[in-house]
Amino acid sequence: MKAIFLGTSGSMPTAERSSSSTVIKIGRDIVMFDCGEGTQRQMVKARVGFRRDMIILISHLHGDHVLGLPGLLQSMSLLGREKQLEIFGPEGLIDYIKSFSETLGGSAFPVILYEIREPGVVHEETRFKIISVPT
C-alpha cells in the first residue's frame, strides 16, 4: 500500500500545494480521497494512471474537495478509459455531477454514483474494505 498526496492545500491552491486530493495505491488499484481542482495534473506528475481500477471518495461538497471531478472525468474520457468508475460521497453528489455533466457532456465510460447517508461499509473487496463513519 502506498499513499500519494496529490494536494494538501486548504480552500485555495498555492504555488507549492494543490487542492485536496490523496491517492492510496493498493497493488494496481487506486482509492482517491477527494478531488480538488487540478487533480488530473497532479496525477500525471505523480505517475498515477487514469485507466486503473479506481474508486473516488468525496468527504464533503466544498469546492476544494470536488472541483477537480469535471476535469478528471473529461481527461479519463479523452484518454479512452473504458473501466467503470465508482464515486462515493455525501448527499448532493449526484446532483453536482449531473449538473456539470449536462453542461460539459457526460463521461465516455460508466460512472456509478453513491450517496452515503448512513455509517457502515460502503465498499468491500478481497484486499480492503471502506467504512463510512461520522466525524
Side-chain angles (χ1 to χ4, degrees):
M1 184 183 313
K2 181 178 181 182
I4 302 170
F5 296 94
L6 300 175
T8 58
S9 187
S11 298
M12 179 181 263
T14 69
E16 296 82 29
R17 296 185 355 220
S18 293
S19 292
S20 300
S21 186
T22 302
V23 163
I24 304 294
K25 289 173 79 176
I26 305 166
R28 292 201 38 83
D29 297 339
I30 294 172
V31 178
M32 178 181 288
F33 295 89
D34 289 327
C35 188
E37 182 181 355
T39 292
Q40 77 271 29
R41 181 182 176 280
Q42 293 300 100
M43 288 175 69
V44 170
K45 193 173 176 183
R47 298 178 180 246
V48 175
F50 289 93
R51 294 186 193 181
R52 294 181 186 206
D53 288 339
M54 180 186 295
I55 295 167
I56 300 176
L57 307 170
I58 301 297
S59 62
H60 60 288
L61 294 179
H62 288 169
D64 56 329
H65 296 263
V66 297
L67 288 177
L69 283 172
L72 179 61
L73 295 178
Q74 285 192 333
S75 292
M76 288 176 163
S77 290
L78 289 170
L79 292 169
R81 182 184 177 97
E82 295 177 353
K83 291 182 181 180
Q84 172 178 297
L85 175 67
E86 294 180 310
I87 305 175
F88 298 81
E91 197 168 340
L93 175 72
I94 292 172
D95 287 341
Y96 169 67
I97 292 179
K98 185 177 177 183
S99 69
F100 71 70
S101 294
E102 288 174 354
T103 305
L104 302 173
S107 62
F109 55 92
V111 177
I112 311 299
L113 305 172
Y114 301 93
E115 290 186 350
I116 301 168
R117 292 185 166 90
E118 306 267 334
V121 175
V122 296
H123 184 84
E124 189 168 0
E125 295 191 19
T126 54
R127 293 182 292 169
F128 63 91
K129 182 187 309 187
I130 299 170
I131 302 170
S132 169
V133 295
T135 58

